[in-house]
Each structure stands twice: as C-alpha cells, then as structure tokens.
Amino acid sequence: MNEGPVLCLRDVSFAYHGREPALSHISVDICRGERIAILGENGAGKSTFFLYINGVLKRQAGRIYYEGAEITDKNIHMLRKKVGIIFQDADSQMIAPSVRAEISFGPMNLKLDRQEVRKRVENAISFMNLEGFEDRPPHCLSGGEKKRVSIADIIAMEPEIYLFDEPTASLDGKHAEQLERILALLHEQGKTLIVSTHDIDFAYRWADRVLVFREGILAADGTPFAIFSGEKLCREVGLKCPTLLRIGKILEEKGLLKENGRAPRTVEELETLLRGE
C-alpha cells in the first residue's frame, strides 16, 4: 500500500524556551499507508514530534516537506489540515456541548459549506458507531465513548495522516480491541497511522515500522522484529522483548521454528506455526 514518502523531515531540531532540545537533528521519511509505532520513555520527544508534524509547533531548525512541498510559516495550515492528532486525554480535545457539535467543530474551521460539514459529520458518526449519541454532552460519556468521539473529531477532518498519542491508555480490554479494529479500518482506507505507545506487544504485532526516540534523538528506525531483536538497543532505551517474540525464540531453541525463521507476531500466526501449516 505504501506509495513513497508523504511527509519528510530533514535535520529537524526543536527546543522549548530555555530548555534542552526536545528534538535533535531528526531526519525521517513517512510513507503513505504505513503503520508506525513510536516508542520511547516519557520525555524522549514523542509528544513533541507529534506536535511538530501536526503543525502546532513552528519550525526552528531543519526542514519539513509534505508531498514534496516545503512547509513554511505561510503554508503550515497544510500540515494542520492533512495531519490529525488524537490526544491521550480525550477531555482535553473536547469543547462543544454535544457530540454532534463537537464533531462539527473541525470541518467548520476548514470553512467548508454546510452540506459538506453535515456529510462529514454523519460519516464520522457512522464510522465510529456513535448513532444515538449526537445530542449527548461529550463530558458525560464513558472513557471509551469519549475516545470514540475524539477519533470521530479527526475523521470528520479527513486527514491523510492520523497521529494517536497513547490511544489505549486507560482503556479496558474491550475498548482496546475496538480501537485496533478502528485502526484496521483506517488502514484499509489507505490512511497513514502513527501511534505513540508503551504497549510493546501491540507495537510488535501491529506496526510495519517502529521509531524509537531517546532524549530527543531518533535512536532507531526499523521493522518490529529488527528493533526488538536488538538486545543492546532495547537495554539502552528500556524496551522489553514482546511476548510473542520471546515465544518464537523458545520455539527456535526447541527446534520447532527454523533458525532465523519468521517469528509469530499474532496469536493466530502462532497457532498456524504450531500446526505446521
């Protein structure tokens, strides 16, 4: 599904006033349709990276390109339109008195006509299974329902790149599974998905690619297998080995998996492997 870079950063650095750099000399290409997990300890630069590529933070050093066009102060609105961010705390994203008004806010800010706003809002409500919630106050919803509304907010904006900041934080198992189904549906639509997470098992089974941040630098960039198989890197940045990768290593030691063979990334793959298929 990847069609080449849609977002490119070149030697990007950023520092909050009077502080050490939160991002330092970051160069990375983000391809259309990728599923990327962002890993790193708290304070490693993950949230700043999101705010930077979403256009919330203005450029300080380095260059950023979207679909080949360099982003400047004059066209930074392009990033804000094309890159949507779903914050960890859904309450911080909600400002309207009803779910419908909340989801309408973004499209209205794009200065779309009423008919287009209405269409986008109805599509987002349907996509997130929020029928019947339209007139309810967002702040009276459960945590899982608020998360669905916050995602619908961004879906109505129709961005090309979705940024999810710790999306499973505070969600129970049922709602975490629901979130993964939503990610799968967005991926089927060709959207680029970037998820910041501390859930290494999720990152290992879900992502096409993993970016690891450490103290403001991009410490590693590779496939989940390559990243989590790097024992030295994992020790340095505090990453544990995903459960299924550990199981794969045990199977290899027992002769049930070929050396350097394909380790299972999902339970379904493990079952297939054990059946010898």
Side-chain angles (χ1 to χ4, degrees):
M1 187 178 295
N2 299 350
E3 302 173 1
V6 62
L7 184 67
C8 303
L9 279 70
R10 293 291 179 267
D11 201 30
V12 164
S13 294
F14 181 88
Y16 296 99
H17 182 68
R19 300 183 184 180
E20 294 294 317
L23 296 176
S24 184
H25 303 289
I26 304 294
S27 293
V28 66
D29 290 347
I30 306 297
C31 294
R32 192 181 305 278
E34 279 192 299
R35 293 174 297 184
I36 299 175
I38 306 288
L39 303 179
E41 297 178 338
N42 292 334
K46 304 186 302 296
S47 295
T48 301
F49 178 72
F50 272 11
L51 295 174
Y52 193 93
I53 63 177
N54 176 241
V56 172
L57 300 176
K58 290 187 176 182
R59 296 180 311 121
Q60 290 182 352
R63 297 182 176 183
I64 182 168
Y65 301 86
Y66 185 85
E67 292 187 333
E70 184 174 359
I71 299 300
T72 66
D73 291 344
K74 292 182 178 180
N75 65 356
I76 199 168
H77 65 278
M78 184 186 301
L79 283 184
R80 296 167 184 165
K81 180 179 179 180
K82 296 293 187 178
V83 184
I85 183 169
I86 295 94
F87 292 99
Q88 176 179 344
D89 179 11
D91 284 315
S92 68
Q93 193 170 327
M94 296 181 185
I95 59 174
S98 73
V99 167
R100 184 183 298 278
E102 174 65 34
I103 299 172
S104 300
F105 184 78
M108 290 176 64
N109 272 355
L110 295 178
K111 304 188 184 305
L112 303 172
D113 62 58
R114 286 180 175 271
Q115 185 175 354
E116 179 65 18
V117 170
R118 188 178 301 111
K119 183 189 79 172
R120 291 193 180 197
V121 170
E122 293 303 325
N123 286 344
I125 287 172
S126 175
F127 190 94
M128 294 305 302
N129 295 317
L130 288 167
E131 293 90 345
F133 289 78
E134 293 91 338
D135 298 322
R136 294 176 62 179
H139 293 288
C140 293
L141 302 178
S142 70
E145 291 164 348
K146 288 177 182 178
K147 181 67 72 174
R148 284 159 57 197
V149 173
S150 68
I151 297 172
D153 284 352
I154 305 305
I155 287 174
M157 299 280 286
E158 296 188 357
E160 291 299 321
I161 300 175
Y162 285 75
L163 311 177
F164 289 83
D165 188 10
E166 287 291 333
T168 58
S170 77
L171 292 184
D172 58 26
K174 174 185 174 181
H175 288 101
E177 289 180 4
Q178 185 180 65
L179 175 69
E180 287 200 47
R181 288 195 293 271
I182 292 166
L183 293 175
L185 289 171
L186 290 171
H187 182 248
E188 288 174 6
Q189 294 181 354
K191 302 300 184 181
T192 304
L193 308 175
I194 308 178
V195 177
S196 170
T197 183
H198 289 290
D199 186 340
I200 58 172
D201 288 318
F202 163 77
Y204 179 68
R205 71 172 175 269
W206 175 81
D208 303 313
R209 180 180 173 196
V210 173
L211 305 182
V212 182
F213 281 79
R214 180 184 62 198
E215 297 179 351
I217 67 169
L218 181 57
D221 176 356
T223 66
F225 182 80
I227 294 296
F228 289 113
S229 295
E231 295 182 4
K232 182 175 183 293
L233 170 69
C234 289
R235 285 197 304 270
E236 290 175 348
V237 299
L239 293 179
K240 293 182 179 180
C241 184
T243 301
L244 285 173
L245 182 56
R246 292 204 308 270
I247 291 173
K249 290 180 178 179
I250 293 171
L251 292 175
E252 185 178 303
E253 291 171 359
K254 298 293 184 181
L256 299 174
L257 178 67
K258 293 180 180 179
E259 187 176 355
N260 297 322
R262 182 175 60 86
R265 292 180 60 188
T266 67
V267 172
E268 291 75 19
E269 288 183 3
L270 175 60
E271 291 175 342
T272 299
L273 182 65
L274 292 176
R275 287 195 299 264
E277 298 177 6

